[in-house]
Amino acid sequence: MYFFNIVLTILSFLAFVLPFLAPKLFPLLSVLTLLLPSFLVINLLFFGYWLIQLKKQVILSGIVLLLGITFINKYYKFSSIDLPEESNDFTVMSYNVRLFNLFKWIDKENVGEEIYTFVNEQSPDILCIQEYSSSADIKFRFYNYQYSHKQGNKIKTSQVIFSKFPIVNEGIIELPDSNNSVIFADIRKGKDTIRVYNIHLESIKISPDVTEIEENVESINKQKSQLVFNRISEAFKKQQIQAELISKHKMTCPFPIIICGDMNNSAFSYVYRMIKGNLNDCFEEAGNGFGQTYHFKYYPARIDYIFADKVMQVKSFENFSKFKNSDHYPIMTRLAMVEQ
């Protein structure tokens, strides 16, 4: 048991360090960042196991848990914040709608209409959508302003920023060797101008229901496992390039920044750290529970984010994990500009 505890400790320390190292340097090891929450949970079990027996081995797991405290808020929040609403507040929603179920991934009718109704009821002031499809004929007509960009070869998808406030400038960050993209819009709210980025980074292409694995349990072998690891590590290398482009671009922005979107990576990754920079993670500031944003059968994955400039107060945050009309769940935050 202690041997397994030592192995787990080594893996945990590697996972602690990897967010500070570029995936290009250690692409296969970077996969460990996806497993960090599991490592912390197992370390907690080991801590309890040794503690019950009053054995000194408890120190090892205790050290790991102590060092992992800074990661816990990124994975689970024990209490939320919901400050009173004021007239200068504004809301921001991010949602990967998966083409409004255009290809019937969900065995359900009227998915697009349900998404339209949901967004209309929540009525966010700024709405960032990933994997928008004009073919689904869903029009968010209650927004006066929008900026969109199509990408893809065979299947055309769009990144879209909808706004109730005027858009005074817009643009795109081209991502090399990818069908994904990043768009931005400078939005005028009263006397303030805010830049909103809508991002959709390279997918690691893992089925949310792990169907292939479940249906082929007996045929899983080392070669297939290696293939999955290679696929994830290649995606992480692409995401590193994409994250560095976003980071470089936002450094030149003269306005307060909001970044929304589907990062396709965990909050324990180099990519997360690079894109977040000195912005606030709105889930960390005001969220509750696991903050799950992606329907993964065995794991409460959080891969969609809203980051806000520190000149904005995060007054509430919600992930709508009961609204299952995509493989992602919508997330929304309420913000207010801090008086200077």
Side-chain angles (χ1 to χ4, degrees):
M1 288 291 287
Y2 194 50
F3 170 78
F4 287 119
N5 198 169
I6 291 172
V7 171
L8 177 65
T9 299
I10 294 170
L11 292 175
S12 299
F13 275 115
L14 282 173
F16 289 163
V17 172
L18 286 169
F20 301 92
L21 303 176
K24 280 184 178 180
L25 300 175
F26 308 98
L28 288 176
L29 282 179
S30 294
V31 179
L32 292 177
T33 59
L34 296 175
L35 303 174
L36 180 54
S38 301
F39 292 161
L40 291 174
V41 170
I42 299 171
N43 270 295
L44 183 62
L45 295 175
F46 267 116
F47 182 83
Y49 176 80
W50 299 122
L51 185 64
I52 289 171
Q53 300 182 70
L54 299 178
K55 292 196 173 183
K56 62 182 180 181
Q57 285 90 334
V58 72
I59 297 173
L60 186 62
S61 292
I63 291 172
V64 174
L65 291 173
L66 192 62
L67 293 174
I69 284 176
T70 56
F71 293 94
I72 292 175
N73 271 354
K74 296 183 184 301
Y75 184 62
Y76 188 89
K77 285 296 299 295
F78 292 94
S79 61
S80 62
I81 293 175
D82 190 1
L83 298 177
E85 190 170 344
E86 297 177 289
S87 60
N88 65 331
D89 293 357
F90 63 101
T91 52
V92 181
M93 177 182 284
S94 179
Y95 192 10
N96 183 324
V97 298
R98 204 187 190 192
L99 304 175
F100 299 105
N101 200 38
L102 188 63
F103 295 102
K104 306 300 180 184
W105 293 288
I106 301 172
D107 186 18
K108 181 179 176 182
E109 295 297 327
N110 303 319
V111 167
E113 289 78 4
E114 287 190 16
I115 291 174
Y116 176 89
T117 301
F118 169 80
V119 172
N120 192 17
E121 289 174 349
Q122 297 301 320
S123 191
D125 295 305
I126 299 170
L127 171 65
C128 293
I129 287 186
Q130 304 87 45
E131 295 192 37
Y132 181 95
S133 170
S134 56
S135 300
D137 198 31
I138 305 298
K139 310 293 185 184
F140 294 98
R141 293 188 177 89
F142 39 91
Y143 288 98
N144 292 326
Y145 309 94
Q146 72 174 75
Y147 172 61
S148 64
H149 172 76
K150 286 186 179 180
Q151 69 266 352
N153 297 320
K154 295 180 180 179
I155 302 173
K156 293 289 185 182
T157 65
S158 300
Q159 300 277 97
V160 189
I161 299 174
F162 294 97
S163 175
K164 294 181 181 179
F165 312 120
I167 293 176
V168 296
N169 181 43
E170 67 271 330
I172 179 173
I173 304 175
E174 297 284 356
L175 303 181
D177 191 28
S178 176
N179 287 327
N180 297 60
S181 67
V182 176
I183 64 173
F184 67 89
D186 294 338
I187 296 173
R188 182 70 53 79
K189 181 186 181 296
K191 63 180 181 180
D192 299 304
T193 301
I194 302 165
R195 175 164 294 177
V196 177
Y197 289 90
N198 185 1
I199 71 173
H200 186 202
L201 302 193
E202 196 71 24
S203 172
I204 60 177
K205 296 180 175 65
I206 296 180
S207 166
D209 293 316
V210 207
T211 306
E212 182 181 348
I213 294 176
E214 287 181 339
E215 292 177 353
N216 300 281
V217 172
E218 294 183 2
S219 65
I220 291 296
N221 53 39
K222 184 177 179 181
Q223 185 178 357
K224 288 187 177 181
S225 299
Q226 186 65 37
L227 184 64
V228 171
F229 268 78
N230 288 339
R231 184 194 302 165
I232 295 174
S233 60
E234 285 302 313
F236 280 4
K237 286 193 285 186
K238 278 191 174 184
Q239 287 179 3
Q240 177 190 335
I241 296 170
Q242 295 167 355
E244 288 169 350
L245 286 171
I246 295 167
S247 179
K248 183 178 179 180
H249 192 278
K250 72 184 178 74
M251 291 294 290
T252 64
C253 177
F255 310 120
I257 289 171
I258 296 172
I259 300 179
C260 301
D262 175 7
M263 194 184 295
N264 276 311
N265 211 322
S266 77
F268 312 104
S269 63
Y270 173 93
V271 171
Y272 170 93
R273 183 171 164 270
M274 178 65 61
I275 292 177
K276 176 180 177 291
N278 63 353
L279 304 177
N280 284 325
D281 182 332
C282 293
F283 167 76
E284 279 191 67
E285 296 298 312
N288 187 40
F290 287 106
Q292 182 178 12
T293 70
Y294 184 69
H295 176 62
F296 196 82
K297 193 169 183 179
Y298 301 110
Y299 182 74
R302 184 167 81 97
I303 61 175
D304 301 81
Y305 305 89
I306 301 176
F307 302 128
D309 204 291
K310 290 189 182 296
V311 301
M312 304 174 200
Q313 182 183 19
V314 183
K315 303 186 75 171
S316 70
F317 181 90
E318 187 171 0
N319 62 306
F320 299 88
S321 57
K322 293 182 180 179
F323 188 71
K324 300 179 179 179
N325 281 295
S326 169
D327 53 346
H328 291 253
Y329 305 127
I331 55 176
M332 187 166 77
T333 189
R334 182 160 48 87
L335 304 169
M337 299 297 293
V338 177
E339 294 293 334
Q340 299 297 308

